[in-house]
């Protein structure tokens, strides 16, 4: 066997076993990413939707690598106009004073929300998640179908499940 052929065979095995080890994480991130794309892991203001506890926990693991959901901070109290003292101004001389920079008018939040529809991009990322999930599952199928050492394949796959679970718990 030539050296390039040996290297390619070795590289295929490395690809196979590392792919098996990270496949459970790819499936996890594809699934939770799809949930987060449509905000199925959180409640929005003014909505009666309450996400299931498992979706919230999986989203926390995806985003913060911890199953502990932090408490939400209370909304800041409304500012009252009479409580704040006006800022003190320095007397300015005509020699050192410069005209104040003119700021461009900012578009209102409503106008910005109406101008961009996020649904097509969300659908695209859902398609990416489904594709990643399906591609990973087909890779798992092919690893069992075309390789003879099924014990090592199973060991790498189980290791890819157990290691992240243990790292999450401890």
């Amino acid at each position: 066997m030539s050296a390039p052929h040996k290297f390619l065979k070795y590289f295929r095995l490395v690809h196979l076993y590392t792919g098996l080890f990270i496949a459970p994480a790819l499936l996890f991130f594809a699934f939770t990413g799809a949930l987060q794309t449509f905000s199925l892991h959180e409640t929005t203001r003014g909505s009666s939707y309450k996400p299931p506890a498992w979706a919230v926990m999986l989203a926390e693991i995806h985003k913060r690598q911890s199953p502990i959901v932090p408490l939400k901070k209370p909304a800041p109290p409304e500012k009252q106009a009479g409580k704040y003292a006006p800022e003190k101004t320095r007397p300015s001389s005509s020699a050192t004073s410069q005209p104040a920079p003119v700021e461009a008018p900012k578009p209102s939040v409503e106008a910005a929300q109406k101008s961009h529809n996020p649904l097509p991009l969300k659908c695209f990322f859902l398609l990416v998640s489904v594709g990643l999930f399906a591609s990973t599952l087909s890779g798992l199928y092919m690893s069992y179908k075309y390789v003879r050492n099924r014990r090592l394949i199973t060991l790498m796959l189980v290791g890819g499940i157990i290691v992240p679970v243990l790292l999450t718990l401890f």
Side-chain angles (χ1 to χ4, degrees):
M1 210 183 279
S2 66
H5 186 70
K6 285 182 181 181
F7 174 75
L8 188 56
K9 186 175 180 178
Y10 174 75
F11 195 70
R12 279 190 210 134
L13 286 176
V14 168
H15 176 263
L16 171 70
Y17 295 125
T18 56
L20 284 164
F21 186 74
I22 66 170
L26 284 173
L27 293 171
F28 172 79
F29 285 120
F31 177 70
T32 57
L35 291 177
Q36 291 178 40
T37 298
F38 290 97
S39 300
L40 298 176
H41 67 292
E42 61 188 359
T43 303
T44 56
R45 290 184 184 170
S47 173
S48 63
Y49 174 71
K50 182 166 174 23
W54 62 266
V56 174
M57 185 185 69
L58 291 180
E60 286 301 312
I61 293 171
H62 182 123
K63 295 187 299 184
R64 294 185 182 88
Q65 295 75 48
S66 173
I68 300 168
V69 180
L71 296 175
K72 289 189 176 187
K73 296 178 183 176
E78 304 240 302
K79 293 181 181 179
Q80 296 177 358
K83 284 195 171 185
Y84 297 104
E87 293 181 14
K88 294 182 181 179
T89 58
R90 285 189 291 173
S92 61
S93 65
S94 60
T96 60
S97 68
Q98 296 177 354
V102 178
E103 292 185 25
K106 296 180 182 177
S108 68
V109 174
E110 289 180 18
Q113 288 178 348
K114 288 181 182 178
S115 66
H116 177 69
N117 181 8
L119 185 61
L121 189 58
K122 287 182 177 190
C123 290
F124 172 75
F125 284 127
L126 177 64
L127 181 66
V128 169
S129 293
V130 169
L132 181 61
F133 201 88
S135 176
T136 303
L137 286 178
S138 69
L140 290 174
Y141 171 76
M142 288 189 299
S143 68
Y144 277 98
K145 181 80 174 167
Y146 300 113
V147 177
R148 295 182 184 184
N149 195 350
R150 291 186 180 192
R151 182 176 291 159
L152 184 56
I153 289 172
T154 304
L155 182 68
M156 293 301 290
L157 186 60
V158 169
I161 295 169
I162 291 175
V163 168
V165 168
L166 290 177
L167 290 173
T168 302
L169 296 176
F170 301 108

